Amino acid sequence: MSSIDTDPRHSDDARANAPGQLTGAVVIVALVSAVSGMLYGYDTGIISGALLQITKDFGIAEAWKQVIAGAILLGAVVGALACSYLSERRGRKGTLLMLSGVFVVGALWCSVAPNPVLLSLGRLVLGFAVGGATQTAPMYVAELAPPKYRGRLVLCFQIAIGVGIVVATIVGASEAIPWRWSIGAAAVPAAIMLGLLLRLPESPRWLVKNDDRDKAHEVLERVRPSGYDVDDELDEMAELSRKEETAKTRGWSGLRAPWVRPALILGCGIAIFTQLSGIEMIIYYSPTILTDNGFSESVALEVSVALGISYLVAQLVGLAIIDKVGRRRLTLIMIPGAAASLFVLGTLFVTGNSGRDSVPFIIACLVVFMLFNAGGLQLMGWLTGSETYPLAVRPAGTAAQSAALWGTNLLITLTLLTLISGIGVGPAMWLYGLFNIAAWLFVYFRMPDLTGKSLEEIEGKLSDGKFRPADFAH
C-alpha cells in the first residue's frame, strides 16, 4: 500500500497555532465562493417557476420539460470532471476565473434562446459552470481557511445555494418577470464574482505543490492575522507535498489506492444520498406536481417560495450549530425527520387526502421535509469533498464526488415525472422516504466526525487506515 505518513505532532502544532481571528482576505474568499454557490442555487432553482412560462411559450410536453431541467445537470457532470484537471493545471483561482466567464455567457445564452433546443444547450453551458464551481470553490476555501473556521467558511457556499434558491422562487412566484429576464439576471452576480476574483490570491497549498514556496508564504501572510507565524504551517504543507510527489497515490489513479478508498466511498456516498433524499425533486418539480394535482399556479409558486425560505433557514441554523453539535451527530438527528415527512406525504396522496381540504397538511409535510433535509444531510454534500481527500488526489476526488452528485441529480430529474406518471405521487414519496433510511444507515456506519480536524490530520488518519466513525470518537 502506498500512503503518506503525516506526523501527528505537525497537526497538533497547526491546530495550536491556528489563528484566532479571520482576516479580511479569507472572508472575501468565502464571499466569492458564496457568490458561486448562489449562482448554483439560482440557476438550478429558477427553472422551477420558469417551466410554467416556458411550457406556454414553446408549447412543450413533459419530455421537453425534463430535458430543459436536466440539461444543466448534464453540463454540471462534465464541468465537475473537466475542472478537476483545470484546477490542477491552472490553479483553484484561475479555474474559478474561467468559470465566472462561463456563468455570464450561459445566463445570457439562455435568456435569448428562441426554441427549446437552444435553451437546453444554453443550460448545458451554464451547467458546466455550476459543476465546475461545486468542484473548485469549496476546495479553494478549504485550502485557504484556518482549521478552526474551515467548516463554517466552506458551508458559506452551501448557505449561498439556499439564498440563490430563495431568490429564484421569489422571482418565479412573482409571475410578473418574464422567464428570459429572470434567467438572464444571473449574469450580473457572475460578473461581480469575476471582478472580486481578480483581487484574490491563489491557494497556498496549490502554490507549494507547484514549487512556489515564496508566493505561498506571501499568500499565508496575507490571509492570516498580523503577527501570526506562517512558517510552521508552510513547512507542514511543504513536507506533505514532498511526500506526495514521491508517492504512487496521485491524481485519478490514486483514487483506486486501498487507503484512499474509504474517503472516496464516503464522499461519493454522501453526494448520492443528498440527491436521493428527495431535495431536488421538491425544488425542481414541486410547482409542477402541485398544479398537476389540482393546485392553482399561484398557490404552487407560493409554496415554492415557502420551501426556499425553509431551506435557507434550516441551513443557517445548521451552520450556527454544526461545529458544536458535530457533523455526524447532526446528520443522524435530522434524517429521520425528513424520512417521516415523506412517508406521511405519500400516505396523504395514496389515501386520496390530497384535495383542497388537505392543502395545509401537504404544505406542512413539504416544509418539514425541507427543514430536516436542508438542516442535516444537505450540509454534508460539499463539506465532505472539500476536506476528506488527501491533497494529491483532492481535485480528482472532489470531481468524482461532484460528478456522482450531479449524475444522480440528472437521473432523478430525467425520470421523476415519468416515475410519478407510472406509480403515482404517493408511492414516489414513499420510495424517497426509503432512500432517506438508507442514507441514515450509510452515515451511521461510514461517516466519521471531522469537526475541528485539520486537513493534514484527516489525511494522517486516512493513511493509517483509521477512518471509521469510532476512530474519530473523542
Side-chain angles (χ1 to χ4, degrees):
M1 178 182 71
S2 176
S3 64
I4 300 168
D5 300 320
T6 54
D7 188 341
R9 292 173 299 179
H10 292 167
S11 299
D12 293 339
D13 289 342
R15 290 194 308 276
N17 292 327
Q21 64 187 71
L22 290 174
T23 60
V26 171
V27 172
I28 295 175
V29 167
L31 177 63
V32 167
S33 175
V35 173
S36 69
M38 187 189 71
L39 288 167
Y40 159 24
Y42 185 86
D43 288 331
T44 55
I46 194 64
I47 202 63
S48 177
L51 267 179
L52 300 178
Q53 294 184 35
I54 292 170
T55 300
K56 295 175 183 177
D57 283 1
F58 291 154
I60 56 176
E62 186 176 277
W64 265 115
K65 293 180 189 178
Q66 293 181 153
V67 170
I68 291 171
I72 196 170
L73 308 176
L74 177 59
V77 173
V78 176
L81 294 173
C83 288
S84 165
Y85 172 80
L86 291 174
S87 65
E88 278 290 87
R89 295 301 300 266
R90 293 172 53 94
R92 295 16 169 176
K93 174 189 171 180
T95 301
L96 287 172
L97 276 169
M98 179 270 296
L99 290 172
S100 300
V102 177
F103 267 123
V104 173
V105 172
L108 295 177
W109 179 333
C110 291
S111 70
V112 298
N115 55 55
V117 175
L118 288 177
L119 176 58
S120 298
L121 289 175
R123 283 183 54 84
L124 191 71
V125 172
L126 201 55
F128 181 93
V130 169
T134 58
Q135 189 273 338
T136 311
M139 178 171 60
Y140 179 53
V141 177
E143 293 184 352
L144 274 161
K148 181 178 179 181
Y149 295 101
R150 187 184 65 245
R152 276 171 280 182
L153 291 178
V154 171
L155 285 175
C156 285
F157 177 83
Q158 184 75 44
I159 296 298
I161 295 173
V163 174
I165 291 171
V166 169
V167 174
T169 55
I170 292 174
V171 170
S174 71
E175 298 185 85
I177 303 176
W179 67 266
R180 294 184 184 278
W181 284 95
S182 62
I183 291 178
V188 176
I192 294 173
M193 174 180 164
L194 177 63
L196 289 174
L197 273 166
L198 293 173
R199 302 174 60 86
L200 289 177
E202 183 54 81
S203 160
R205 285 179 170 84
W206 183 83
L207 290 169
V208 167
K209 194 174 178 181
N210 285 270
D211 299 322
D212 198 346
R213 183 185 173 104
D214 291 340
K215 184 64 176 178
H217 191 278
E218 292 178 14
V219 170
L220 282 175
E221 287 191 326
R222 180 178 171 185
V223 301
R224 296 294 183 257
S226 178
Y228 172 71
D229 186 359
V230 302
D231 289 333
D232 286 343
E233 188 173 358
L234 189 60
D235 287 343
E236 186 176 2
M237 292 179 189
E239 178 64 14
L240 186 59
S241 178
R242 184 190 64 79
K243 291 180 178 179
E244 285 166 348
E245 288 296 324
T246 58
K248 296 179 181 179
T249 309
R250 300 179 62 191
W252 283 94
S253 62
L255 293 178
R256 295 195 296 268
W259 72 280
V260 177
R261 194 173 301 140
L264 183 64
I265 292 173
L266 173 62
C268 291
I270 289 292
I272 289 170
F273 279 119
T274 59
Q275 306 308 296
L276 289 180
S277 65
I279 186 73
E280 302 303 347
M281 166 184 68
I282 302 299
I283 290 175
Y284 291 161
Y285 290 133
S286 58
T288 301
I289 292 171
L290 293 174
T291 53
D292 287 349
N293 284 273
F295 286 66
S296 67
E297 284 191 11
S298 59
V299 171
L301 291 171
E302 287 170 3
V303 171
S304 184
V305 173
L307 293 176
I309 293 173
S310 299
Y311 183 102
L312 179 57
V313 169
Q315 294 262 294
L316 290 171
V317 172
L319 176 63
I321 66 175
I322 190 170
D323 286 334
K324 298 176 183 177
V325 177
R327 295 160 197 186
R328 181 172 183 271
R329 184 182 177 192
L330 179 64
T331 309
L332 291 174
I333 290 172
M334 299 297 278
I335 290 177
S341 63
L342 288 177
F343 284 123
V344 172
L345 184 61
T347 301
L348 288 173
F349 279 95
V350 168
T351 58
N353 295 300
S354 56
R356 188 176 299 276
D357 294 339
S358 300
V359 168
F361 300 103
I362 292 173
I363 295 175
C365 286
L366 288 170
V367 170
V368 168
F369 165 80
M370 190 63 78
L371 290 172
F372 278 95
N373 185 270
L377 186 60
Q378 294 306 316
L379 290 171
M380 302 302 111
W382 305 116
L383 184 57
T384 53
S386 67
E387 65 184 13
T388 301
Y389 301 105
L391 179 60
V393 299
R394 191 169 297 149
T398 54
Q401 181 168 336
S402 294
L405 186 147
W406 291 115
T408 307
N409 195 331
L410 176 63
L411 178 65
I412 292 170
T413 304
L414 291 177
T415 60
L416 182 65
L417 295 180
T418 304
L419 174 69
I420 290 175
S421 296
I423 67 175
V425 175
M429 296 297 173
W430 284 349
L431 176 62
Y432 281 92
L434 292 174
F435 286 149
N436 276 269
I437 293 176
W440 190 93
L441 293 172
F442 180 83
V443 170
Y444 183 81
F445 288 108
R446 301 292 311 202
M447 180 179 169
D449 193 344
L450 307 180
T451 307
K453 308 297 183 184
S454 72
L455 296 180
E456 287 73 27
E457 184 179 5
I458 292 170
E459 183 166 343
K461 285 278 192 179
L462 189 63
S463 67
D464 291 338
K466 297 178 179 179
F467 205 69
R468 290 285 184 169
D471 297 321
F472 284 79
H474 295 292

